[in-house]
Amino acid sequence: KLKPVTHFSKITDIEILKELTNALYNYNGSYSLKNALKFVLHIPLRADNLCNLKWDYIDFEKQLLTIPREEMKIKDKNFDDFKMPLSDEVIKILKEQYVFTSHQKWVFLGTNNRDPINSESPNRALQRLGFNDDKKGRKIRLHGFRGTFRSLIETLDTDNNFSFEAKERALDHQEQSKVVRAYAHKSDYVKQLIPLMTFWSEFIKGLVDEN
């Protein structure tokens, strides 16, 4: 029996995404919440990976995020760890956050300043900011940032500069066929991901109103 597919609300209207981006960049709540939400705009991690992000996974010098395979949704040991290049803007967000939480192992801390942020906290913040109207295409939760990225990358990549594989790999979507997987996981996708994630990050940054 097939499991029903859950469709998470996502924002695909660029004007609404611009409103969301500015709401997050100007968010007045906790710095961990603000920076986690800014971070996921640029790097569409699953909620669990975002909220449990550790400083150990960040290489500031190489501008690279590496999450151990066993912490990803797909835990297949045949796959390499998840690697994601970090744009200058993402490094800037992380450096701001580092000032507050570098004394702990978690990047984004919850209210007790010891444990990682609760995955419902960002969702509640999005609700408070008014991104709760599905009918108007204005509803989003943490998981929806992944759908927003995937939909808009298709829309924006008019010249087909980025491969289907790179777009999928950015979300850690893995090839279902075992034969294809055996070959694919050996490829170094980081090189392909650098231009894709730089393009996306520049696009997001371009939505921020200059104060």
Side-chain angles (χ1 to χ4, degrees):
K1 195 180 165 191
L2 287 173
K3 277 204 281 191
V5 178
T6 313
H7 290 289
F8 293 93
S9 302
K10 61 187 176 189
I11 289 171
T12 53
D13 180 301
I14 291 176
E15 279 310 306
I16 297 174
L17 183 62
K18 184 177 166 67
E19 283 176 44
L20 173 67
T21 302
N22 282 289
L24 299 185
Y25 267 73
N26 296 308
Y27 183 67
N28 283 325
S30 89
Y31 51 82
S32 275
L33 254 185
K34 177 180 184 169
N35 285 329
L37 285 163
K38 280 168 67 178
F39 183 90
V40 80
L41 267 174
H42 294 268
I43 305 287
L45 294 179
R46 289 187 177 91
D48 196 41
N49 295 128
L50 174 76
C51 295
N52 294 295
L53 201 61
K54 293 177 184 167
W55 285 116
D56 283 356
Y57 303 165
I58 312 285
D59 186 328
F60 280 104
E61 237 166 84
K62 289 184 181 159
Q63 298 203 190
L64 189 67
L65 163 68
T66 305
I67 300 178
R69 178 48 57 194
E70 65 269 16
E71 294 201 11
M72 298 302 288
K73 186 180 176 184
I74 297 167
K75 300 180 190 320
D76 189 331
K77 290 188 181 71
N78 295 314
F79 290 129
D80 296 333
D81 292 341
F82 175 74
K83 287 183 165 36
M84 175 62 91
L86 304 173
S87 68
D88 292 347
E89 180 66 8
V90 175
I91 291 292
K92 189 177 158 197
I93 294 165
L94 288 169
K95 281 187 171 165
E96 278 173 22
Q97 185 64 14
Y98 193 79
V99 174
F100 300 109
T101 63
S102 59
H103 62 291
Q104 298 284 16
K105 65 176 174 181
W106 314 104
V107 176
F108 304 114
L109 292 177
T111 43
N112 67 4
N113 273 328
R114 272 197 315 276
D115 299 311
I117 199 168
N118 181 301
S119 63
E120 277 311 305
S121 301
N123 289 336
R124 284 196 290 271
L126 290 162
Q127 233 165 331
R128 282 196 301 274
L129 290 167
F131 291 92
N132 211 25
D133 191 336
D134 228 349
K135 286 199 181 80
K136 291 185 178 163
R138 284 181 61 87
K139 181 175 179 175
I140 196 164
R141 295 293 173 268
L142 270 187
H143 198 91
F145 285 84
R146 294 167 64 74
T148 292
F149 164 80
R150 196 63 186 85
S151 295
L152 281 174
I153 272 296
E154 282 309 320
T155 309
L156 298 165
D157 185 19
T158 46
D159 299 332
N160 295 320
N161 289 323
F162 310 114
S163 72
F164 171 80
E165 288 77 16
K167 293 168 189 171
E168 288 291 282
R169 200 48 69 100
L171 298 169
D172 199 45
H173 286 165
Q174 302 286 355
E175 180 53 60
Q176 293 307 308
S177 147
K178 284 219 165 100
V179 178
V180 177
R181 272 166 41 170
Y183 289 103
H185 83 277
K186 297 294 177 202
S187 312
D188 183 3
Y189 280 96
V190 173
K191 287 191 186 81
Q192 288 186 45
L193 283 171
I194 292 170
L196 170 65
M197 300 317 291
T198 303
F199 172 84
W200 176 251
S201 201
E202 288 298 318
F203 165 69
I204 292 294
K205 217 173 79 180
L207 299 175
V208 182
D209 291 329
E210 296 298 323
N211 292 332

